[in-house]
Amino acid sequence: MNWHERLYQDVLMYLPDAPQPLVERAILTTASDFFRDTQVLSDELYIPLLCNNHEYLLPVPEGQRIVFIERVSIGNCGVTSRDWRPLEPAQRRHEYGYWVDLNKPRPAIRIPPEIPNVSACDSPYQLAVEYAWTPDTTQCRLPEHIIGRYATTLLNGVLAALYGMRLDETLYDPAMAREFRAQYERERDNAMNEKHQNFQTMPLMRRGGRFI
């Protein structure tokens, strides 16, 4: 049973007669908004750099949608290399630094030609891209520890959405909607604060191609 099915069963304990399409839409919308706002889901991509090529598609796994680029580094392709150099983001597309347009269906990263050792084509370098993401389909797999930690928060958000549906008289209950919405927003804000604190204290050193 995946995270969506588990959450669906939890919702039915409160609203056993809720129409399935409404519940499924509320689950995906709540999860997408929660992980977009909190950025607690993160992953890494490694992209081999090609000679004289300065734009690369980000090969994000199916079901993931990038919401924020946390860090981009460049380093030698050796697995045990610790020579990872962080790159600064550009303020505008064609200024110095990396640039990612997250509004495209398939986002790509652009790196400036001025980066040393890239255009020279004499060393096998790669980009390491650390990003936050949110699910854009209920079939997307979520880490078990994330679901275990935020299952109640997501349930509160889904119930708030369902109880707040004015067009469905069998569901609409503004008092219950306010109660679950308040719980959801409090827990979401706590998750946002925790993520911010963890990111601020994360060291820049890499070992074995991963942040530590």
Side-chain angles (χ1 to χ4, degrees):
M1 183 181 297
N2 66 18
W3 65 273
H4 168 265
E5 293 168 337
R6 287 158 55 183
L7 192 53
Y8 182 83
Q9 294 301 319
D10 290 342
V11 170
L12 293 185
M13 295 179 62
Y14 290 84
L15 296 168
D17 298 323
Q20 181 174 351
L22 291 182
V23 176
E24 292 180 343
R25 186 169 63 207
I27 289 174
L28 182 56
T29 299
T30 299
S32 181
D33 290 349
F34 175 79
F35 292 115
R36 178 201 64 205
D37 294 341
T38 62
Q39 299 176 10
V40 296
L41 283 174
S42 62
D43 211 334
E44 297 172 332
L45 296 172
Y46 294 90
I47 306 172
L49 297 180
L50 304 176
C51 181
N52 293 322
N53 187 33
H54 301 288
E55 188 159 337
Y56 301 85
L57 289 175
L58 296 177
V60 182
E62 184 176 358
Q64 293 187 8
R65 178 168 58 86
I66 296 178
V67 295
F68 183 68
I69 301 296
E70 295 181 335
R71 185 178 290 112
V72 176
S73 301
I74 185 172
N76 191 279
C77 287
V79 175
T80 60
S81 173
R82 296 177 62 179
D83 185 23
W84 290 94
R85 180 160 57 90
L87 300 182
E88 294 297 322
Q91 297 301 311
R92 296 178 179 81
R93 180 177 178 82
H94 296 290
E95 293 183 356
Y96 185 80
Y98 72 83
W99 176 266
V100 181
D101 187 352
L102 296 180
N103 293 321
K104 293 184 177 181
R106 298 188 64 190
I109 183 169
R110 182 183 185 278
I111 58 175
E114 299 85 357
I115 292 180
N117 300 320
V118 175
S119 59
C121 304
D122 57 358
S123 298
Y125 280 80
Q126 64 180 348
L127 287 179
V129 181
E130 186 175 8
Y131 63 94
W133 60 277
T134 191
D136 62 4
T137 171
T138 56
Q139 302 307 311
C140 179
R141 293 181 61 87
L142 299 182
E144 281 296 324
H145 72 281
I146 292 291
I147 292 303
R149 182 167 187 177
Y150 299 111
T152 301
T153 303
L154 294 173
L155 176 61
N156 288 336
V158 174
L159 292 174
L162 293 172
Y163 280 123
M165 290 185 174
R166 294 175 178 271
L167 298 181
D168 192 320
E169 295 181 356
T170 63
L171 298 176
Y172 185 56
D173 188 328
M176 294 293 286
R178 286 193 299 271
E179 179 180 340
F180 283 109
R181 174 61 59 183
Q183 295 181 49
Y184 167 78
E185 291 181 348
R186 181 170 58 253
E187 294 161 359
R188 179 203 59 194
D189 292 347
N190 288 339
M192 291 171 63
N193 292 334
E194 290 176 6
K195 170 68 177 185
H196 178 73
Q197 292 171 1
N198 291 338
F199 186 73
Q200 290 293 99
T201 58
M202 184 183 298
L204 296 179
M205 184 183 299
R206 282 176 167 268
R207 178 177 299 156
R210 299 185 65 85
F211 287 105
I212 62 172

